[in-house]
Amino acid sequence: MTVTDRKSRVVIVGGGLVGSLAACFFAKRGHYVSIYEYRPDIRTVDCWGQSIDLALSVRGREALRAVGLEEVVVDHHGIAMRGRMIHNKNGSLKEILYDGVNQNCIYSVTRRYLNIVLLNAAEKYSEVSLHFNKKVVDADLDDGKLTILDTRTRKIEKAKADLIIGADGAYSIIRRTMAKKPRFNCSQTYIEHGYLELFVPSGKNNEFMMSNKHLHIWPRGEFMMIALPNDNCTFTVNLFAPFLTLDKLKTPQDLLNFCEEYFPDLVELIGRQKLVKDYFEREPKPLISIKCKPYHVGKTTLLLGDAAHAMVPFYAQGMNTGFEDVLLLDELMERYNSDFSKVLPKFSELRCEDAHAICDLAMYNYVEMRDLVRKKSFLVRKYIDTFLYKRIPKTWIPLYSTIHFSRMRFRDCIANKQWQDKVLRRTAWCTIFLIIAILMASFVQVSAKKSILY
């Protein structure tokens, strides 16, 4: 990594995962970085609400590796998940490996732990300053000026930057400000389903009560539960369901009847009393998908992570895509020597369509997780993909592997899957025609023999 002679003042709005990681990359290049985060410092105050546990894969790991953090996250905290464990209503289990050829895994990581690691890493750079309880209330993006409210003292502050990074999440103030500009396209979609967090406790001897080597799924067609292992031998569970379904669970008995019908084994693991307590302590949260274009304003402002492309969590790529944003940005800074007038437009050019593609894939994967994984056609396709991947690994790479275990561009991942579908369809039709031709030839031969006999 080349340390540039251009020492820019960078203001990052948002001290979450992507914002704190971006600070490390900018500081490593010698830029001066200020992070403004509206929440308190999570290292001293537990201010988290409910969250979906993270699944770290190659795109995210490469970004962490570049700033020397991969080992502390993966080896010291991450829990390797080698596949999905499907829980059927009758209690039977079905394992579906993520990568039956190379045995690649994804890693369960808690959001709070990872954010603390990243904030600590950013703070070690003398070029980085952290500011908590600071809410951006106005922004002049062309001139790099921000108006900031201290949420404790209620005082107004001003900040000036050569570059503003909007890493302030799905409800980004920076993106909302960009939306006032001409030729900025933005759309948001709330799906009809929400989620609510529950917990499976550890066992009597502080052991896992289910396999800790899998992401557990209870697919039930229109809704599902998932569970990811934590390093304290618990599981974080999320119920995903239509709000129409969740709204009907108004009493403890309604909840217990619902869960005992569809998730009886999970009820036994959580316990009825804890299940009721955890469920009614929280409100169901919505799930949003956001697409926008471009991601930059001139040479002064750039969106990263959920601020640019919030997605539903069903491909486990929200964090990984955000981390890859930072990695791509750093690669462009290296190429253009931190000349933001060249870096930012190139970032939008390279990233927008790819981010739109993974947002669409995340939507599709919800259908796969809650419904398709139960179907024989899904398992047959999984077997075919694994069979071909094992024999022609450079030609046939399954979609899941291209997403999680490579840095192939997301739109290329989709194009690759479409090509595979086309090959299989043509092969199927050719096989059908061949069978018909053989049957017809056999029929003609039999008819010919009969005519000779008579």
Side-chain angles (χ1 to χ4, degrees):
M1 180 181 289
T2 302
V3 177
T4 180
D5 293 332
R6 301 167 185 241
K7 308 297 184 184
S8 299
R9 295 169 299 169
V10 180
V11 167
I12 298 176
V13 183
L17 302 177
V18 173
S20 49
L21 177 65
C24 295
F25 276 89
F26 280 114
K28 199 170 181 180
R29 290 192 173 276
H31 299 297
Y32 301 106
V33 184
S34 297
I35 295 179
Y36 289 91
E37 168 57 51
Y38 81 92
R39 296 170 301 186
D41 188 343
I42 64 168
R43 297 171 297 176
T44 59
V45 178
D46 186 0
C47 56
W48 287 92
Q50 63 185 22
S51 173
I52 298 169
D53 270 16
L54 305 169
L56 180 67
S57 54
V58 162
R59 298 172 197 270
R61 291 181 64 177
E62 285 202 13
L64 292 173
R65 187 183 310 142
V67 288
L69 297 176
E70 181 186 26
E71 182 180 353
V72 70
V73 174
V74 173
D75 295 345
H76 298 167
H77 179 74
I79 300 177
M81 299 182 293
R82 68 188 187 191
R84 298 166 173 169
M85 184 65 77
I86 308 301
H87 294 246
N88 297 310
K89 280 182 68 175
N90 62 7
S92 63
L93 302 176
K94 173 68 177 178
E95 181 187 47
I96 303 176
L97 295 178
Y98 290 132
D99 182 357
V101 176
N102 298 316
Q103 308 304 315
N104 282 308
C105 300
I106 60 176
Y107 290 82
S108 176
V109 181
T110 57
R111 184 181 297 271
R112 178 181 172 82
Y113 170 85
L114 183 53
N115 206 167
I116 289 173
V117 167
L118 290 168
L119 286 171
N120 287 339
E123 197 171 45
K124 289 180 181 178
Y125 292 96
S126 60
E127 295 86 353
V128 175
S129 59
L130 304 178
H131 308 272
F132 298 98
N133 301 290
K134 306 289 186 180
K135 182 179 181 180
V136 173
V137 293
D138 195 17
D140 183 340
L141 303 182
D142 294 305
D143 290 336
K145 296 178 181 178
L146 295 172
T147 302
I148 300 163
L149 171 69
D150 187 310
T151 58
R152 294 169 300 182
T153 66
R154 312 307 296 177
K155 291 183 178 179
I156 294 293
E157 305 173 10
K158 301 288 185 178
K160 180 75 169 68
D162 299 304
L163 176 64
I164 297 171
I165 297 292
D168 47 340
Y171 303 99
S172 168
I173 181 65
I174 302 301
R175 189 186 66 248
R176 292 205 303 271
T177 306
M178 288 174 65
K180 299 174 184 177
K181 291 186 167 294
R183 300 175 64 191
F184 179 80
N185 295 309
C186 185
S187 65
Q188 68 176 38
T189 302
Y190 282 99
I191 67 172
E192 299 294 325
H193 298 229
Y195 76 97
L196 196 138
E197 191 172 82
L198 305 167
F199 302 93
V200 172
S202 59
K204 292 181 179 179
N205 299 316
N206 199 36
E207 78 280 4
F208 285 103
M209 297 181 69
M210 300 184 290
S211 166
N212 65 326
K213 296 179 174 63
H214 298 87
L215 187 156
H216 295 262
I217 306 177
W218 290 258
R220 299 297 183 261
E222 279 299 309
F223 47 85
M224 71 173 183
M225 291 263 201
I226 67 168
L228 276 73
N230 301 313
D231 61 357
N232 61 355
C233 296
T234 65
F235 287 85
T236 301
V237 182
N238 287 105
L239 167 62
F240 297 95
F243 278 104
L244 289 174
T245 299
L246 297 173
D247 289 344
K248 294 177 182 177
L249 307 180
K250 296 179 179 179
T251 69
Q253 194 58 52
D254 291 337
L255 174 66
L256 291 173
N257 291 342
F258 172 77
C259 291
E260 286 172 347
E261 178 178 357
Y262 293 105
F263 314 105
D265 58 334
L266 195 57
V267 173
E268 295 302 318
L269 291 170
I270 297 176
R272 288 165 177 76
Q273 185 174 353
K274 179 174 174 55
L275 173 62
V276 170
K277 176 178 177 295
D278 290 347
Y279 184 90
F280 287 103
E281 276 183 350
R282 298 167 175 83
E283 292 290 330
K285 298 291 184 182
L287 294 163
I288 191 171
S289 179
I290 289 173
K291 297 178 182 178
C292 63
K293 184 179 182 180
Y295 291 151
H296 74 287
V297 173
K299 61 178 182 179
T300 59
T301 306
L302 183 68
L303 298 175
L304 296 175
D306 283 354
H309 45 66
M311 65 192 72
V312 293
F314 306 114
Y315 230 122
Q317 282 299 302
M319 173 195 65
N320 290 293
T321 303
F323 282 8
E324 191 178 45
D325 286 351
V326 181
L327 198 55
L328 173 60
L329 177 61
D330 187 66
E331 291 165 357
L332 293 174
M333 286 195 289
E334 178 74 18
R335 183 190 306 180
Y336 297 114
N337 194 28
S338 293
D339 182 347
F340 298 134
S341 66
K342 297 178 181 178
V343 170
L344 271 54
K346 193 66 176 178
F347 181 90
S348 285
E349 176 188 335
L350 294 174
R351 200 58 172 163
C352 284
E353 299 305 320
D354 277 334
H356 295 174
I358 189 59
C359 285
D360 291 338
L361 282 170
M363 286 285 198
Y364 160 78
N365 213 48
Y366 185 29
V367 179
E368 178 176 302
M369 291 177 72
R370 63 181 166 84
D371 189 28
L372 298 184
V373 292
R374 305 181 302 168
K375 299 183 181 297
K376 291 182 179 180
S377 57
F378 175 85
L379 298 176
V380 168
R381 176 58 189 267
K382 183 73 175 176
Y383 173 81
I384 292 172
D385 279 339
T386 301
F387 177 84
L388 293 173
Y389 186 31
K390 186 177 296 185
R391 281 152 183 80
I392 46 174
K394 293 183 179 180
T395 304
W396 196 280
I397 307 175
L399 176 64
Y400 194 92
S401 292
T402 62
I403 297 294
H404 279 279
F405 307 129
S406 82
R407 283 196 63 198
M408 182 186 291
R409 297 185 65 172
F410 289 122
R411 54 185 171 180
D412 291 340
C413 296
I414 292 177
N416 181 61
K417 172 67 161 53
Q418 291 172 339
W419 170 79
Q420 292 173 347
D421 291 344
K422 188 176 181 180
V423 169
L424 292 179
R425 280 197 303 270
R426 289 186 175 181
T427 302
W429 279 114
C430 288
T431 302
I432 291 171
F433 288 140
L434 179 60
I435 292 171
I436 292 173
I438 292 172
L439 291 174
M440 290 182 66
S442 299
F443 176 77
V444 169
Q445 287 180 346
V446 170
S447 298
K449 289 179 179 180
K450 287 183 177 180
S451 63
I452 291 172
L453 291 173
Y454 289 103

